[in-house]
Amino acid sequence: QVQLVESGGGLVQPGGSLRLSCAASGAIFSRYVMGWYRQAPGKQREFVARITTEGNTDYPDSVKGRFAISRDNAKNTVYLQMNSLKPEDTAVYFCHTFDTRGVYWGQGTQVTVSS
């Protein structure tokens, strides 16, 4: 069973930056595709970023060029660097992965972008 624990959320002004972390345990981290999703109040959860086992990354247009996902396999941790934050980035951010046994989510970390 994979466990995911996010950290690094908080309140930031528009144009600011935050770095989220997701620590994984219970599995061989390097073998997992890792992702970030977010959910704003009253909206569906949406895809934010993905990094493969080879380090290839993928982003939706809404965050491309502003967000960057990375991984440190030695620390079993995936990061989400968020720059040029906008009020519409306000959401709970979730770490995600999956394997043949199921889909795994962290508990989420709140990101609020407001002046």
Side-chain angles (χ1 to χ4, degrees):
Q1 182 96 10
V2 180
Q3 293 87 42
L4 303 172
V5 179
E6 303 97 334
S7 61
L11 173 64
V12 63
Q13 291 187 344
S17 298
L18 277 177
R19 188 176 81 155
L20 306 183
S21 300
C22 171
S25 61
I28 302 174
F29 178 77
S30 61
R31 297 182 181 178
Y32 283 71
V33 175
M34 300 299 300
W36 287 94
Y37 287 71
R38 66 186 181 187
Q39 188 166 18
K43 295 188 176 181
Q44 289 189 332
R45 194 169 295 190
E46 63 175 4
F47 167 69
V48 174
R50 179 185 300 116
I51 186 165
T52 69
T53 56
E54 294 82 13
N56 297 316
T57 58
D58 187 29
Y59 309 91
D61 289 343
S62 58
V63 306
K64 194 173 294 183
R66 300 188 299 122
F67 290 13
I69 188 171
S70 61
R71 66 191 300 159
D72 186 337
N73 289 338
K75 295 182 178 180
N76 288 0
T77 301
V78 62
Y79 304 97
L80 184 68
Q81 177 67 43
M82 304 186 294
N83 300 323
S84 302
L85 283 161
K86 305 175 181 180
E88 51 263 44
D89 294 318
T90 295
V92 178
Y93 283 70
F94 297 91
C95 187
H96 167 272
T97 192
F98 59 92
D99 61 20
T100 57
R101 294 168 294 178
V103 177
Y104 307 99
W105 296 95
Q107 83 287 352
T109 186
Q110 176 71 47
V111 172
T112 302
V113 184
S114 175
S115 54

